Every structure is written in C-alpha cells, then in structure tokens.
Amino acid sequence: MSTRVPQERRRRRPTRSGVLLSEDLIVETALRLIGEHGPEALSVRRLGAALGCDPTALYRYFHGTDDLVLAIADRIIGDAMAGFVPGADWVVSLREMALRVRAGYLAHPRAAAMAAHRVTGRKSEIQAVETGIGLLLSAGFEPAAAARLYLAFIDTVLSHAATDAAFLALPLQQRQADHRAWSNVYQDLDPVAYPALTAVRPALPGMADSSFEEAVDLLLEALAARAPTR
Amino acid sequence: MSTRVPQERRRRRPTRSGVLLSEDLIVETALRLIGEHGPEALSVRRLGAALGCDPTALYRYFHGTDDLVLAIADRIIGDAMAGFVPGADWVVSLREMALRVRAGYLAHPRAAAMAAHRVTGRKSEIQAVETGIGLLLSAGFEPAAAARLYLAFIDTVLSHAATDAAFLALPLQQRQADHRAWSNVYQDLDPVAYPALTAVRPALPGMADSSFEEAVDLLLEALAARAPTR
DNA sequence: ACATTGGGTCAACCCTGTTGACGTAAGGCG
DNA sequence: CGCCTTACGTCAACAGGGTTGACCCAATGT
C-alpha cells in the first residue's frame, strides 16, 4: 500500500460517523488531543477515535506517525509566524522572531515538547528560514556566515523554547518541586564548601525562571558585534 | 504488586543463565545496549535478553522504565563531570564545562533525551552550579548578574545538548529524513520566492550539523564583552 | 532444620504502529 | 444517464512495547 499521500484529494467521502477528513482537521484534532490529555494521548488509534474514523484512515493523509508530528510542528511554526513582517532593524526583527517562536511553543507546550527538535521541511519552516537568513544577509554577513550564524541563532531559540515548553508540560507537582529545589536545597549549603553559591544566595530563587530573553539578548549582542555593517 | 525496590538486596540468586543481577549491572548493560545497537535498542524486553534474565526481573530493581532512565541519567552526569577542575581562564573553563556536558549527553543520547529537562537538585548538579557561578564571580560580575548570566549560559548549553541528543535519539530513518530535508527540499526552491535561501544554497547541506560550538562561542563572546575585568 | 520471603520466571493483558486486502461510492467520461 | 476507474474509508492481523499478578524455588535468619 506504500502510503502514497497525494496533495489534491477529490474523492473524499464522509467517514462512518459522518466527518469529512482533511489534513488540517487531523492536525487540529491532534493538537487538541495533546493539549487536553498530554503528549502520550497522541496515538493513531486515539486520534482515529477522536476524529470518528478508522485509525488507519490517517495513513491516507500521512506516511506515518513521524509525518504527522512534522505536520504538527509546522503548524505551530506557521501560527507563530503568521503576520510577521521583518522591519528595518535586523537585530530587532530577529528578536521578535525569537519571541514569536517561543510564544508559539508555549501556546502548545506538550505538542512542542515532542516536535521541537525536528526539521519539518515544510512550508512554514521554509518561510521562517528564508526570513531569518535574509535578515542576516541584510546585516552584511557573507552567505556562508549568514547560514551558519542563523543556524546557531535559531537552534538556540528553538532549544530554549523547547526547554521552557517541556517545563510547562510537566505536571504541576513536579514544577513546584523544581521551584522548591532552588528555594530550599540551594539555601542551606555549607558556606565553606560552596562559597560562590553562598555569595549569590539572594539571587537563587529566581533561578527557576526562564533565561530565554537573557540568552537571546546575549546572542544578538554577539551577532551585532560580529556584523560587518550596522 | 507495587514494585517496591529495596535498597539492600541479600537474597539475590543467579538467573536462569547464571548472571547475578545488580542495579549497576543493569544500568551498565543498558548503556552498552544503547551504545552498540542504537538508541531504539533500549526496551525492557531487549534489556532482559541482553542480561540473560526474564524482562520482568528488572521490575525488582526499578519501578518502571522512567525510574531506570533516571538512574541512567544520574550515571551520565557523574561520568561527564568526573575529574573536572576549573582553570585560570574563566572563558576557557566555561567552554570546557559546556563541551563536557554535551559530550556526556551525546554519549547516551536516548537516556539524555528523556531526562534532559529535569532538575535533579543532587550533588553533581550543585557542584556544577557552584563551579560555574564561581567562574563568573572571578570574572568580576556582581553576584546578581553572575547568577542570572550563569543561568542563561547553562540553560543554553543544556538545551542545545538536549536538542543534539534528541536528534541522535531518533530512529535512523528519521535522522536521515532530516538530513534529506536540508539536501533536497531546500535545494529545489523558487529563486524568486526565496532569494535569501537561494543566495546561501551551497551552505545549506551543513544545516543538519550541530551549531552547538558556534552558539557557545557567541555566548562566551557576549559574556566576555560584558565582563568588568579581563 | 525450619519458616520466611526476596526475587527470578511465566503467562497474560492491553497498548502501540503498520500492513494488505477489501469494498464502496465519488467523479470523469462516453 | 450510466458505466469504470480508483481514491479512500474500513477491517483483520501482526509484531513489538510496558506492566501486572501468580507461582515457586532457594537463600537467609533463627
């Protein structure tokens, strides 16, 4: 059966329960499933049940689970970047890209946690890469450097966003436990054995907060310092 | 059956094939399995087969897969930071910390991918934080800044390492698909619609490689630029 | 030597992704 | 209008996964 997935579908007919399937509907239902019942709620069988169709009908739309995950990831990217237009200042524009991507991930933390590390090779991702590399080219970087630095930038943004999303995807209990670790464990340390931690102790409770913006700003500072033109 | 896991075991007896089980032996065998036959080789059943025991015997030692993974992760952290002593140059030392953490993760990608986003609050982690913040204090940063910047640094390192590990943890097929995405999809784009991508096209196949070191170097450049003292 | 019980084994359950065969109805075409 | 093709929804089946409860033997403390 080789699971060919044609792009135009003319012959679709309602499922047993009357639903008209479509790639968009499947992706949206998957996002809803994950958002409501956690990442482990996403399985071909459960998705089929939620859609009111036979699980294997999904193979007419996606080559397999992996293909579906990539579609979900691309959807998140697309939603996050919708309506974004780069401005005159490339540093400001890259910063907004970073914040948008992170916001998109945080909007679907559980889906992001499973899709964040993939290369979708789909429409929304291609558009985002085009935009980002274009910004670095406009900053005067050589093509090879622009590609390399964009990769470092976007990987950092995506990795950080994935970490934040993964944290949000944790059960409330474990999240609180992480906060408590910084508040309790790190407050009761032997000053002799841990002089540095003792010196910065008042700042430690904030360690549970995200460092996303600080990291992005540091990275953009370094990029600006390396840029041929301002 | 509640899978109680006692700490002292006095009554163990050899398995059917003559092996004496132990927590250490199980963790080591799991790491060996992953190293030899790829990340997807780790399953309770396969691990049992590799140990020459019934798969369910492992439940006498770990509450479940998750518990086993945490035990593995603990071992990885300890191994990665073993013997590390910070040197005189704080930039060089932070860089080595970053590389060590990443190397530890990459050595056991699947375990790292499953446990990367958790806060252990244990001895090794505390020691690492102490070392890192101490390095930033020695660079002349104020305590509050040192804590904040260390967090940005280590979060970036851990996130990136987790991303790289997650990629290695993918089944071979999906990894190759990611490579192909950069080699194929991004090579056949409309030059009018995607001018930036067209301009950097020769550099695109390298996009599948890790940007870890580039990102760390950029971050360290920014930190050095902000440091009160050289 | 005996009673206790830790721990290795086995069978079973329900989950998962994926496949190949099957049939029905939708759409193109005469 | 009605036939023919075939897209696509359905079904049954397979291999593999984690996990559980019952079983029972032997290692240990007395």
Side-chain angles (χ1 to χ4, degrees), chain B residues 59-174:
Chain B
Y59 287 89
R60 305 286 179 199
Y61 293 82
F62 302 97
H63 296 99
T65 308
D66 200 57
D67 197 27
L68 171 62
V69 166
L70 288 183
I72 294 173
D74 205 58
R75 165 76 66 109
I76 293 175
I77 294 174
D79 289 353
M81 294 302 288
F84 172 72
V85 283
D89 188 325
W90 63 272
V91 173
V92 171
S93 298
L94 282 178
R95 193 168 197 280
E96 188 185 339
M97 266 189 76
L99 294 183
R100 272 174 171 265
V101 167
R102 177 170 184 255
Y105 276 25
L106 293 194
H108 309 290
R110 193 189 190 198
M114 297 174 78
H117 301 300
R118 303 198 183 173
V119 178
T120 70
R122 294 173 150 203
K123 200 177 51 181
S124 295
E125 184 194 67
I126 294 176
Q127 185 56 54
V129 177
E130 164 71 19
T131 302
I133 291 183
L135 285 167
L136 287 177
L137 288 176
S138 80
F141 286 105
E142 294 298 312
R148 196 164 31 82
L149 293 175
Y150 173 75
L151 182 64
F153 172 75
I154 200 64
D155 273 2
T156 301
V157 168
L158 291 174
S159 301
H160 248 90
T163 294
D164 289 353
F167 179 71
L168 280 186
L170 289 176
L172 185 60
Q173 275 187 330
Q174 296 177 22

Side-chain angles (χ1 to χ4, degrees), chain A residues 90 94 136 141 145-157 214-227, chain B residues 90-91 94-95 98 149 152-153 156-157 160 210-226 230:
Chain A
W90 63 272
L94 281 178
L136 287 177
F141 286 106
R148 197 165 29 83
L149 293 175
Y150 173 75
L151 183 63
F153 171 75
I154 201 62
D155 273 3
T156 301
V157 168
E214 183 84 61
V216 167
D217 286 340
L218 285 167
L219 218 53
L220 288 175
E221 279 177 32
L223 287 177
R226 281 198 196 179
Chain B
W90 63 272
V91 173
L94 282 178
R95 193 168 197 280
L149 293 175
F153 172 75
T156 301
V157 168
H160 248 90
S210 171
S211 62
F212 181 87
E213 294 201 38
E214 183 83 59
V216 167
D217 286 341
L218 285 167
L219 218 53
L220 288 175
E221 279 177 33
L223 287 177
R226 281 198 195 178
R230 291 292 297 165

